[in-house]
Amino acid sequence: MTTTADRPSQEFKVVGSRPIRHDGVDKVLGRAQYGADLKLPGLIHGAVLRSPYAHAVIKKVDVSRAEAAPGVFAAITGDDMPVTGSKVVDMVEEVTNLKWSSQRVMAHGKAVYRGHPVAAVAAVDQNTALEALKLIEVEYEPLQAVISLEDAMKPDAVIIHDDLVGDHLGEKVSPTNVAEHTRTEFGDPEAAFAEAAHVLERTYTIARAHQGYIEPHSSTAFWSPDDKLSVWTTTQAPFGVRSNVATVLKLPLSDVRVVPMEIGGGFGGKIGLYMEPLAAMLSRKSGRPVKMTMDRKSVFDATGPGPGGQVTAKIGVDKDGKILAATADIRYMAGAYPGSSISAATAGIFACYKVPNVRIDAYDVVINMSKTAAYRAPGTPQATFASESLISELCETIGMDPMEFHLLNAAEEGTRRPDGPVFPRIGNVACMEAIRDSEHFSSDLEKSPDGKLRGRGLATGYWNGGGNRSSVTISVNDDGVVSMVEGNPDIGGTRTTLAMQAAEVFGLPAHDVHPTVADTDSVGYNDLTAGSRTTYASGQAAIEAARQVVEEIKKRMAMIWETEPENVEFEDSVFRNKVAPDQRLTFKEAAGKLGQTGGPVSKTGTVNVRGSGGGSFAAHLVDVEVDPETGKVQILRYTAAQDAGKAVHPSYVEGQFQGGAAQGIGWALNEEYYTSPDGVMQNSSFLDYRMPTALDLPMIDAIVVEVPNTNHPFGVRGIGETSIVPPAPAVGNAIADAIGTRLYQTPMNPSRIMEALANKRNGKNGH
Amino acid sequence: MHPFTYVAPRTLDEAVAVLEQHGERARPFAGGTDVLVQLRGGRFDLDAIVDLKGVPEATSLDLNGSLRIGAAVPCYRIYEDSAVAAAFPGLIDAASLIGGIQIQSRASLGGNLCNASPSADGICPLIVHSTVAVVQGPQGERRVPVEEFCTAPGVNVLGRGELLVALEVPAPARGFGAAYQRFIPRNEMDIAVAGVASALTLSDDGATIASGRIALAAVGPTPLFAAKASAFLAGKPATPETFAEAGEIASTEATPIGDMRGTAEHRIELVKVLTRRTLAIALGRAQSNR
């Protein structure tokens, strides 16, 4: 790892170190409790009957035989769901029609994606539940499935939701499959293109790709006879689940308690509701706690991957290669219900550049596949595949070095992002320079010894990161150790990164702060673990709580020393009386005196972090080798540089850079939903949904760039997501460099590479 | 999953009796790496699984010039036997390729054959080794050349009450060499997009091919014996040009479909490339076996 800091900033004791994670022992020893590990007295097991059709009217569902089977406790259908009426509500992560939120988790009258729940049963064990599903009689009337942009947007398209009213540039349109068409404009791109020395326009197709978390979804619910509902679930958003379950089941918010279980990967895919309301209804009917766990096929068929789609991008430059204008047309397939991150795509597609004239059209289109969800920098890798591939090809066309192009056009502090916000201090240029100065960049790409083709690719990426609401409670124990209660499920080591920020305030070792992720009844409100916000925003709540604790202990010390609190100072974990300097107590000594000076000290820090997460930029450099006889691509070398602001735990930061790069390489090379014309995913297993394995990746070199974030006391930026943005175009640019022709479609799998090579031999290009 | 009985016979006769009793509702069980996954995936229901791991004929591995591989012998026993590994490197190519370490400690070449997947890694190497499948049934024993064993995707020649007992691989002739390669987009954890096994026997001059056999995986409804390409090799010089031409001929014998694992066009190209590459490896092995 290389760390570059462009100015000496604060001195840190804990932040920037690499302690062993607090939850490490439990995870290594298999004691950590993931969703499916939960055991409760009287627990029974649920199973879901899913639609085999992507689009069908459900004429009849009869669960009577299943309900009567031995060992079966309860069965439910769409008729059992409390909410069926149309009503627009704010569901925390999205504003949506409540009817759809309810119907998405259980079909009512119509199945709109393959894997759509049609009925569910709960039985004494999982096998009995699965066997009982076979006794459910469903009468379907299959409809034509809409699974492409073309089919969804054509004038006589089959309409998926009769009650969908599209917002097309402010105009209400129905019937339609286009839920939203937005336009972002600034300046006069057409006039600028007319003046440009070079203009290039290309269209790119991006495949729908799943987060591929190892842990399948698992949810358990117990509906108590007093109508209090407890939910144990694998989620990134316990408070979001609480509110959404309450809304869908028409329960008072505070009668729902959500216990977040340890989470085996989420990447944005564990935010929305899936089986929680079904387990709750089965529990209500049976009087027992009900556990439901998906198999991998259901995870692929019926949860939310990132959207696929089509992006047309156009850039015009002057004779020196300076960008004059850029336009884009972004069309994402949201799945069966609206909501495919088109606004983030709009924000991200040209964010790395100064673009004086811009227009971005974006379309959110429904199709008959499961609704897409957030996937690490939602919407942005797809759009960036277009912009960064286009820029690479443009550089080839005008004979300009891509590094030079990036540095000439790079957005910096004060640059207006195409959709409006003006960047604060950012590390865009610093990341590019870190790559330029790396050993990787200055080393020559060696020729393959056996006739394979090698190439190098560069791409940048951006993700803004979120702030929002967090609460952290810190209590001081007599021995000077503090306990810290937080409400963000731990993804990527956030227990430790929050504890470290509190420990920094106290001047204590990281392990003297004991973090616990609590349920929704045991900690103040916290927004979800997503949007790269946890270390950044909840970290500020931890700092705030810790500072309040210090202030309170200062008052206690003032009592002991019979002075005013403002005379007590705290530095290097020691309280001192400024007036009588020999009066001093360490934090640990002071902690033992709280009982006699007014009782326990426990403070809650709450924040509502407004505006930008500071923005984290990245630049990735990759070398590939292509076997021209088979089309196989091997990643030879990979370097990822990204701005962390201040890396709280550098190992975790490096891990995030590497993990995002690994996922992005999967998008680039092999990952896709391979779907039949009737909307059935053919490769719904890890065998055929080809994510990269450890044997497919080199060690990814992570360069942590630190340009402090002015919005965080320690300069921290949210860093979890940007790393998935540059890999697909970087790999695509490297492949183009290797084989001398370009692919305009992900995944760039061996069959497509062979086709591109054949086209090249026949004098055809791919665009 | 439908409840089923687990039966662990000690003799072939017992195994045959149970299989005959249940017909299609019973299956032999060796490593279980296919049948258990298929049961859980709801591909079919069974009333009984018949574990062959207690049947001596199905669990022995005997090298005596020729090689007899019990149908339930897991892959690791084949590649960890240094004498077998030295004599049959073309089989080891497959035995060490199927699945990861855990799978190889359970999965058998016999099971791989009975599963009759067009993309099976184990079957083509058996074909080019002129392997014979020994089948036991209610009417006694019968012997089936491996290239005739699979009849359609997932379907084989076994009738009611029949089971595969062992695979008999003839002793490699002097100047014999074989190799198997598959193409996968990743470096592990994948099913072949296409696979080719090649074998050749050099004439006494060490430069001419006396006879050859080529078999193709994942480019037809079953693993295919490429008869024309095999016949073409006889009498030809063992040169890259010959191997390339054999690849061209083999590609005309392939009848691939396009699916999630690759396009038909890509598979045809892969047959050409892998035929060339495996023949070159087979030649090297043949030369060191003279």
Side-chain angles (χ1 to χ4, degrees), chain A residues 448-453 626-628:
Chain A
S448 153
D450 53 1
K452 297 199 176 98
L453 306 172
V626 182
D627 182 341

Side-chain angles (χ1 to χ4, degrees), chain A residues 83-91 94-104 161 163-165 247-248 337-338:
Chain A
V83 174
T84 52
S86 205
K87 183 186 168 198
V88 174
V89 290
D90 183 351
M91 297 285 278
E94 60 187 359
V95 176
T96 185
N97 189 318
L98 179 53
K99 183 173 104 173
W100 293 338
S101 289
S102 175
Q103 290 188 4
R104 185 176 61 73
H161 300 289
D163 50 355
L164 170 65
V165 180
T247 309
V248 166
Y337 302 92

Side-chain angles (χ1 to χ4, degrees), chain A residues 143-225:
Chain A
L143 303 171
Q144 194 188 330
V146 179
I147 62 158
S148 68
L149 283 172
E150 195 188 348
D151 285 349
M153 296 178 80
K154 66 186 179 187
D156 57 342
V158 172
I159 296 297
I160 297 173
H161 300 289
D162 292 331
D163 50 355
L164 170 65
V165 180
D167 179 339
H168 298 183
L169 301 176
E171 194 184 326
K172 300 263 177 273
V173 177
S174 189
T176 181
N177 293 320
V178 180
E180 200 176 8
H181 170 202
T182 62
R183 179 172 295 158
T184 301
E185 277 182 298
F186 185 75
D188 186 348
E190 300 312 327
F193 284 136
E195 284 174 21
H198 304 277
V199 177
L200 194 65
E201 179 176 20
R202 293 285 184 259
T203 296
Y204 303 85
T205 306
I206 303 97
R208 178 180 161 102
H210 200 276
Q211 298 84 351
Y213 30 78
I214 299 300
E215 178 204 28
H217 298 254
S218 182
S219 304
T220 302
F222 179 59
W223 194 304
S224 165

Side-chain angles (χ1 to χ4, degrees), chain A residues 376-400:
Chain A
R376 208 168 194 157
T380 310
Q382 297 94 325
T384 305
F385 177 66
S387 53
E388 290 295 290
S389 300
L390 180 68
I391 282 167
S392 170
E393 188 174 350
L394 179 67
C395 286
E396 254 170 62
T397 312
I398 65 177
M400 188 168 178

Side-chain angles (χ1 to χ4, degrees), chain A residues 429-687:
Chain A
V429 173
C431 288
M432 218 12 118
E433 290 173 343
I435 287 290
R436 183 196 62 195
D437 299 340
S438 68
E439 196 275 327
H440 183 176
F441 189 79
S442 58
S443 70
D444 287 333
L445 190 57
E446 285 172 33
K447 275 216 164 350
S448 153
D450 53 1
K452 297 199 176 98
L453 306 172
R454 291 183 175 179
R456 178 169 287 176
L458 174 72
T460 56
Y462 162 78
W463 179 254
N464 189 34
N468 296 330
R469 295 158 291 182
S470 290
S471 311
V472 171
T473 300
I474 291 177
S475 306
V476 183
N477 299 325
D478 287 349
D479 58 0
V481 169
V482 303
S483 63
M484 187 186 85
V485 181
E486 47 131 335
N488 280 116
D490 187 344
I491 294 185
T494 48
R495 277 185 183 89
T496 299
T497 59
L498 299 196
M500 287 172 75
Q501 292 179 73
E504 185 70 46
V505 173
F506 294 132
L508 292 174
H511 282 263
D512 281 353
V513 179
H514 291 184
T516 300
V517 178
D519 65 65
T520 53
D521 275 1
S522 308
V523 63
Y525 183 87
N526 279 276
D527 275 314
L528 67 184
T529 300
S532 301
R533 67 172 293 279
T534 305
T535 297
Y536 166 67
S538 298
Q540 295 188 51
I543 292 169
E544 171 61 24
R547 286 177 174 172
Q548 287 182 30
V549 165
V550 168
E551 288 312 306
E552 178 62 27
I553 299 178
K554 280 182 180 172
K555 288 183 198 158
R556 306 297 180 85
M557 296 303 100
M559 284 165 70
I560 293 172
W561 294 328
E562 294 177 344
T563 183
E564 295 305 313
E566 51 269 29
N567 289 337
V568 180
E569 61 179 6
F570 181 65
E571 209 184 322
D572 290 339
S573 209
V574 175
F575 292 93
R576 273 191 199 80
N577 186 349
K578 283 192 269 191
V579 183
D582 56 325
Q583 288 184 323
R584 62 189 298 279
L585 284 173
T586 65
F587 183 89
K588 285 190 179 280
E589 289 164 344
K593 303 199 181 297
L594 302 178
Q596 307 97 294
T597 55
V601 172
S602 180
K603 295 288 179 187
T604 297
T606 61
V607 294
N608 187 5
V609 180
R610 288 292 177 193
S612 165
S616 181
F617 286 81
H620 288 196
L621 186 68
V622 58
D623 296 347
V624 304
E625 179 175 86
V626 182
D627 182 341
E629 293 190 331
T630 64
K632 181 160 174 162
V633 176
Q634 191 69 40
I635 307 290
L636 298 178
R637 186 169 184 188
Y638 202 105
T639 303
Q642 188 180 324
D643 179 14
K646 174 66 195 173
V648 175
H649 192 303
S651 300
Y652 299 171
V653 170
E654 289 157 12
Q656 291 295 319
F657 294 2
Q658 292 164 330
Q663 286 186 317
I665 289 168
W667 288 43
L669 295 183
N670 287 301
E671 292 183 39
E672 66 175 322
Y673 271 51
Y674 190 93
T675 309
S676 70
D678 53 356
V680 178
M681 183 185 187
Q682 306 291 292
N683 57 334
S684 51
S685 74
F686 275 150
L687 185 61

Side-chain angles (χ1 to χ4, degrees), chain A residues 689-738:
Chain A
Y689 184 84
R690 290 161 167 156
M691 297 173 70
T693 73
L695 294 170
D696 300 312
L697 298 169
M699 187 64 194
I700 291 160
D701 195 15
I703 302 178
V704 181
V705 174
E706 294 186 324
V707 176
N709 180 5
T710 49
N711 270 347
H712 185 283
F714 300 155
V716 173
R717 293 178 195 268
I719 53 88
E721 292 167 283
T722 310
S723 51
I724 199 176
V725 179
V731 169
N733 294 341
I735 291 172
D737 185 40

Side-chain angles (χ1 to χ4, degrees), chain A residues 235-257:
Chain A
T235 183
Q236 298 170 240
F239 287 87
V241 169
R242 178 180 70 168
S243 128
N244 292 349
V245 164
T247 309
V248 166
L249 298 182
K250 289 192 164 169
L251 285 169
L253 179 80
S254 295
D255 285 354
V256 181
R257 179 176 70 111

